Amino acid sequence: QAQLKESGGTLVQPGGSLRLACVMSGFKNPFDAIGWFRQVPGKEREGVSCIKTTDGLTGYADSVKGRFTISRDNAKNTVYLQMNDLKAEDTAVYYCATRGLGGGNYCLSPRPYDYWGKGTQVTVSS
């Protein structure tokens, strides 16, 4: 059974850094992208960053460009999200997800993703 498990979320002060990890297991069908998304109560889930498994192409939301970096360790079946210079508006539950084959280069839309983790809470506050 395909599973994704996020970790690394915690309380951090503004300007601080965190690294989230997403461990993937049990996948029998291939996927072409892995994404990080976030959601706050009352708002839609939004794409934060993604990486395509075919060519390593990455995508970032405008709000996190230059601050967040996505990376992948194939040997550990893990995708990371390094988050620097965190701001209060980065507070959210962060989810990782995988997208099946056939998606395009744009990988920030959550709709095509079909396997999701349960999320990890990131709170940025002084």
Side-chain angles (χ1 to χ4, degrees), residues 53-87:
T53 59
T54 51
D55 53 15
L57 188 72
T58 58
Y60 295 92
D62 287 343
S63 59
V64 306
K65 280 180 182 177
R67 301 189 296 122
F68 291 11
T69 303
I70 191 169
S71 62
R72 185 183 181 194
D73 185 334
N74 290 334
K76 295 183 178 180
N77 291 324
T78 301
V79 174
Y80 301 98
L81 184 68
Q82 178 67 42
M83 306 188 295
N84 298 328
D85 189 23
L86 283 160
K87 306 176 187 299

Short mmCIF file of all heavy atoms in Angstrom, two decimals, residues 53-87:
data_model
loop_
_atom_site.label_atom_id
_atom_site.label_comp_id
_atom_site.label_asym_id
_atom_site.label_seq_id
_atom_site.Cartn_x
_atom_site.Cartn_y
_atom_site.Cartn_z
N THR A 53 9.89 13.59 -11.43
CA THR A 53 10.79 12.46 -11.32
C THR A 53 11.45 12.12 -12.64
O THR A 53 12.49 11.47 -12.66
CB THR A 53 10.04 11.23 -10.81
OG1 THR A 53 8.97 10.93 -11.72
CG2 THR A 53 9.44 11.47 -9.43
N THR A 54 10.88 12.57 -13.74
CA THR A 54 11.43 12.23 -15.06
C THR A 54 12.69 13.03 -15.38
O THR A 54 13.66 12.48 -15.91
CB THR A 54 10.37 12.49 -16.14
OG1 THR A 54 9.85 13.81 -15.96
CG2 THR A 54 9.25 11.48 -16.03
N ASP A 55 12.66 14.32 -15.07
CA ASP A 55 13.79 15.16 -15.47
C ASP A 55 14.33 16.04 -14.36
O ASP A 55 15.23 16.85 -14.58
CB ASP A 55 13.40 16.04 -16.66
CG ASP A 55 12.14 16.84 -16.42
OD1 ASP A 55 11.73 16.95 -15.24
OD2 ASP A 55 11.57 17.37 -17.39
N GLY A 56 13.75 15.91 -13.16
CA GLY A 56 14.24 16.71 -12.04
C GLY A 56 13.79 18.15 -12.05
O GLY A 56 14.23 18.96 -11.24
N LEU A 57 12.90 18.49 -12.99
CA LEU A 57 12.41 19.87 -13.07
C LEU A 57 11.69 20.21 -11.78
O LEU A 57 10.91 19.42 -11.26
CB LEU A 57 11.45 19.99 -14.26
CG LEU A 57 10.99 21.39 -14.63
CD1 LEU A 57 12.14 22.17 -15.26
CD2 LEU A 57 9.82 21.31 -15.61
N THR A 58 11.96 21.40 -11.26
CA THR A 58 11.33 21.83 -10.01
C THR A 58 10.44 23.03 -10.24
O THR A 58 10.60 23.79 -11.22
CB THR A 58 12.39 22.18 -8.95
OG1 THR A 58 13.24 23.22 -9.48
CG2 THR A 58 13.23 20.98 -8.59
N GLY A 59 9.49 23.21 -9.34
CA GLY A 59 8.60 24.36 -9.39
C GLY A 59 8.41 24.92 -8.01
O GLY A 59 8.45 24.18 -7.02
N TYR A 60 8.21 26.23 -7.94
CA TYR A 60 8.02 26.89 -6.65
C TYR A 60 6.92 27.94 -6.78
O TYR A 60 6.82 28.64 -7.79
CB TYR A 60 9.31 27.59 -6.20
CG TYR A 60 10.46 26.65 -5.92
CD1 TYR A 60 11.37 26.32 -6.90
CD2 TYR A 60 10.60 26.08 -4.66
CE1 TYR A 60 12.41 25.44 -6.65
CE2 TYR A 60 11.64 25.21 -4.39
CZ TYR A 60 12.54 24.89 -5.38
OH TYR A 60 13.57 24.01 -5.12
N ALA A 61 6.14 28.05 -5.72
CA ALA A 61 5.19 29.16 -5.64
C ALA A 61 5.97 30.46 -5.53
O ALA A 61 7.06 30.50 -4.95
CB ALA A 61 4.29 28.98 -4.43
N ASP A 62 5.42 31.53 -6.08
CA ASP A 62 6.10 32.82 -6.04
C ASP A 62 6.42 33.25 -4.61
O ASP A 62 7.45 33.88 -4.35
CB ASP A 62 5.25 33.89 -6.71
CG ASP A 62 5.21 33.74 -8.22
OD1 ASP A 62 6.08 33.04 -8.77
OD2 ASP A 62 4.30 34.33 -8.84
N SER A 63 5.55 32.89 -3.69
CA SER A 63 5.71 33.33 -2.30
C SER A 63 6.89 32.67 -1.60
O SER A 63 7.31 33.14 -0.54
CB SER A 63 4.43 33.05 -1.52
OG SER A 63 4.13 31.66 -1.55
N VAL A 64 7.43 31.58 -2.16
CA VAL A 64 8.53 30.89 -1.48
C VAL A 64 9.81 30.86 -2.31
O VAL A 64 10.84 30.36 -1.84
CB VAL A 64 8.13 29.44 -1.11
CG1 VAL A 64 6.84 29.43 -0.30
CG2 VAL A 64 8.02 28.54 -2.33
N LYS A 65 9.77 31.38 -3.52
CA LYS A 65 10.97 31.38 -4.37
C LYS A 65 12.11 32.11 -3.68
O LYS A 65 11.94 33.18 -3.11
CB LYS A 65 10.66 32.05 -5.71
CG LYS A 65 9.95 31.16 -6.70
CD LYS A 65 9.68 31.88 -8.01
CE LYS A 65 8.93 30.97 -8.98
NZ LYS A 65 8.59 31.69 -10.24
N GLY A 66 13.28 31.48 -3.74
CA GLY A 66 14.45 32.06 -3.10
C GLY A 66 14.58 31.72 -1.63
O GLY A 66 15.64 31.96 -1.03
N ARG A 67 13.54 31.14 -1.04
CA ARG A 67 13.58 30.77 0.37
C ARG A 67 13.48 29.27 0.59
O ARG A 67 14.07 28.74 1.53
CB ARG A 67 12.44 31.47 1.13
CG ARG A 67 12.47 32.98 1.06
CD ARG A 67 11.46 33.61 2.01
NE ARG A 67 10.08 33.26 1.67
CZ ARG A 67 9.23 32.65 2.49
NH1 ARG A 67 9.61 32.31 3.71
NH2 ARG A 67 7.98 32.39 2.11
N PHE A 68 12.71 28.59 -0.23
CA PHE A 68 12.49 27.15 -0.09
C PHE A 68 13.22 26.41 -1.20
O PHE A 68 13.33 26.89 -2.33
CB PHE A 68 11.00 26.82 -0.18
CG PHE A 68 10.15 27.28 0.97
CD1 PHE A 68 10.65 28.15 1.94
CD2 PHE A 68 8.85 26.82 1.10
CE1 PHE A 68 9.85 28.57 2.98
CE2 PHE A 68 8.05 27.22 2.16
CZ PHE A 68 8.55 28.11 3.09
N THR A 69 13.69 25.20 -0.86
CA THR A 69 14.34 24.35 -1.84
C THR A 69 13.85 22.91 -1.68
O THR A 69 13.88 22.37 -0.57
CB THR A 69 15.87 24.37 -1.67
OG1 THR A 69 16.34 25.72 -1.75
CG2 THR A 69 16.54 23.54 -2.75
N ILE A 70 13.43 22.32 -2.78
CA ILE A 70 13.00 20.92 -2.78
C ILE A 70 14.15 20.06 -3.28
O ILE A 70 14.91 20.45 -4.17
CB ILE A 70 11.74 20.73 -3.64
CG1 ILE A 70 11.14 19.34 -3.42
CG2 ILE A 70 12.03 20.99 -5.12
CD1 ILE A 70 9.75 19.16 -4.05
N SER A 71 14.30 18.88 -2.67
CA SER A 71 15.33 17.95 -3.12
C SER A 71 14.84 16.53 -2.88
O SER A 71 13.88 16.31 -2.14
CB SER A 71 16.65 18.20 -2.40
OG SER A 71 16.51 17.99 -1.01
N ARG A 72 15.54 15.59 -3.51
CA ARG A 72 15.11 14.21 -3.43
C ARG A 72 16.31 13.31 -3.22
O ARG A 72 17.35 13.48 -3.85
CB ARG A 72 14.38 13.82 -4.72
CG ARG A 72 13.78 12.43 -4.72
CD ARG A 72 13.14 12.11 -6.05
NE ARG A 72 12.54 10.79 -6.05
CZ ARG A 72 12.14 10.14 -7.13
NH1 ARG A 72 12.28 10.70 -8.32
NH2 ARG A 72 11.60 8.95 -7.05
N ASP A 73 16.15 12.35 -2.31
CA ASP A 73 17.16 11.32 -2.08
C ASP A 73 16.54 9.99 -2.48
O ASP A 73 15.76 9.40 -1.74
CB ASP A 73 17.58 11.31 -0.60
CG ASP A 73 18.72 10.34 -0.32
OD1 ASP A 73 18.87 9.35 -1.06
OD2 ASP A 73 19.45 10.56 0.65
N ASN A 74 16.86 9.53 -3.68
CA ASN A 74 16.24 8.32 -4.20
C ASN A 74 16.59 7.09 -3.36
O ASN A 74 15.76 6.19 -3.18
CB ASN A 74 16.67 8.08 -5.64
CG ASN A 74 16.07 9.11 -6.59
OD1 ASN A 74 15.01 9.67 -6.31
ND2 ASN A 74 16.75 9.38 -7.68
N ALA A 75 17.79 7.04 -2.83
CA ALA A 75 18.22 5.89 -2.04
C ALA A 75 17.38 5.74 -0.77
O ALA A 75 17.18 4.63 -0.27
CB ALA A 75 19.69 6.01 -1.69
N LYS A 76 16.90 6.87 -0.26
CA LYS A 76 16.11 6.85 0.98
C LYS A 76 14.61 6.99 0.70
O LYS A 76 13.82 7.08 1.65
CB LYS A 76 16.57 7.98 1.91
CG LYS A 76 17.99 7.81 2.42
CD LYS A 76 18.35 8.93 3.39
CE LYS A 76 19.76 8.74 3.93
NZ LYS A 76 20.14 9.81 4.89
N ASN A 77 14.24 7.06 -0.58
CA ASN A 77 12.82 7.27 -0.94
C ASN A 77 12.23 8.45 -0.19
O ASN A 77 11.11 8.39 0.32
CB ASN A 77 12.00 6.01 -0.64
CG ASN A 77 12.34 4.87 -1.55
OD1 ASN A 77 12.63 5.06 -2.74
ND2 ASN A 77 12.34 3.66 -1.02
N THR A 78 12.99 9.52 -0.15
CA THR A 78 12.61 10.67 0.65
C THR A 78 12.75 11.95 -0.17
O THR A 78 13.71 12.12 -0.93
CB THR A 78 13.49 10.77 1.91
OG1 THR A 78 13.33 9.58 2.68
CG2 THR A 78 13.08 11.96 2.77
N VAL A 79 11.78 12.83 0.01
CA VAL A 79 11.83 14.16 -0.58
C VAL A 79 11.87 15.17 0.56
O VAL A 79 11.14 15.02 1.55
CB VAL A 79 10.62 14.42 -1.48
CG1 VAL A 79 10.60 15.86 -1.97
CG2 VAL A 79 10.64 13.48 -2.67
N TYR A 80 12.71 16.18 0.40
CA TYR A 80 12.88 17.19 1.44
C TYR A 80 12.38 18.54 0.97
O TYR A 80 12.38 18.84 -0.24
CB TYR A 80 14.36 17.31 1.82
CG TYR A 80 14.98 16.03 2.32
CD1 TYR A 80 15.72 15.21 1.48
CD2 TYR A 80 14.82 15.64 3.65
CE1 TYR A 80 16.29 14.03 1.93
CE2 TYR A 80 15.39 14.46 4.12
CZ TYR A 80 16.11 13.67 3.25
OH TYR A 80 16.67 12.50 3.71
N LEU A 81 12.00 19.35 1.93
CA LEU A 81 11.70 20.75 1.65
C LEU A 81 12.47 21.58 2.66
O LEU A 81 12.14 21.60 3.85
CB LEU A 81 10.20 21.04 1.75
CG LEU A 81 9.79 22.46 1.38
CD1 LEU A 81 10.01 22.69 -0.12
CD2 LEU A 81 8.33 22.73 1.75
N GLN A 82 13.54 22.21 2.19
CA GLN A 82 14.32 23.10 3.04
C GLN A 82 13.66 24.48 3.01
O GLN A 82 13.50 25.05 1.93
CB GLN A 82 15.76 23.19 2.54
CG GLN A 82 16.64 24.14 3.33
CD GLN A 82 16.89 23.68 4.75
OE1 GLN A 82 17.13 22.51 4.99
NE2 GLN A 82 16.82 24.61 5.70
N MET A 83 13.31 24.97 4.18
CA MET A 83 12.60 26.24 4.28
C MET A 83 13.46 27.21 5.09
O MET A 83 13.75 26.95 6.27
CB MET A 83 11.24 26.04 4.94
CG MET A 83 10.40 24.97 4.26
SD MET A 83 8.70 24.89 4.91
CE MET A 83 9.02 24.34 6.58
N ASN A 84 13.85 28.29 4.47
CA ASN A 84 14.67 29.31 5.11
C ASN A 84 13.91 30.64 5.20
O ASN A 84 12.94 30.85 4.47
CB ASN A 84 15.98 29.52 4.34
CG ASN A 84 16.84 28.28 4.29
OD1 ASN A 84 16.85 27.45 5.21
ND2 ASN A 84 17.56 28.11 3.19
N ASP A 85 14.38 31.51 6.08
CA ASP A 85 13.79 32.84 6.24
C ASP A 85 12.27 32.73 6.38
O ASP A 85 11.50 33.39 5.67
CB ASP A 85 14.15 33.73 5.06
CG ASP A 85 13.74 35.18 5.29
OD1 ASP A 85 13.61 35.59 6.46
OD2 ASP A 85 13.55 35.90 4.29
N LEU A 86 11.84 31.89 7.30
CA LEU A 86 10.42 31.63 7.45
C LEU A 86 9.67 32.86 7.95
O LEU A 86 10.20 33.67 8.74
CB LEU A 86 10.20 30.45 8.40
CG LEU A 86 10.47 29.09 7.75
CD1 LEU A 86 10.72 28.02 8.80
CD2 LEU A 86 9.31 28.69 6.84
N LYS A 87 8.46 33.01 7.47
CA LYS A 87 7.60 34.13 7.80
C LYS A 87 6.32 33.62 8.44
O LYS A 87 5.95 32.44 8.26
CB LYS A 87 7.26 34.91 6.53
CG LYS A 87 8.47 35.34 5.72
CD LYS A 87 8.05 36.03 4.45
CE LYS A 87 9.23 36.33 3.53
NZ LYS A 87 10.21 37.23 4.14
#
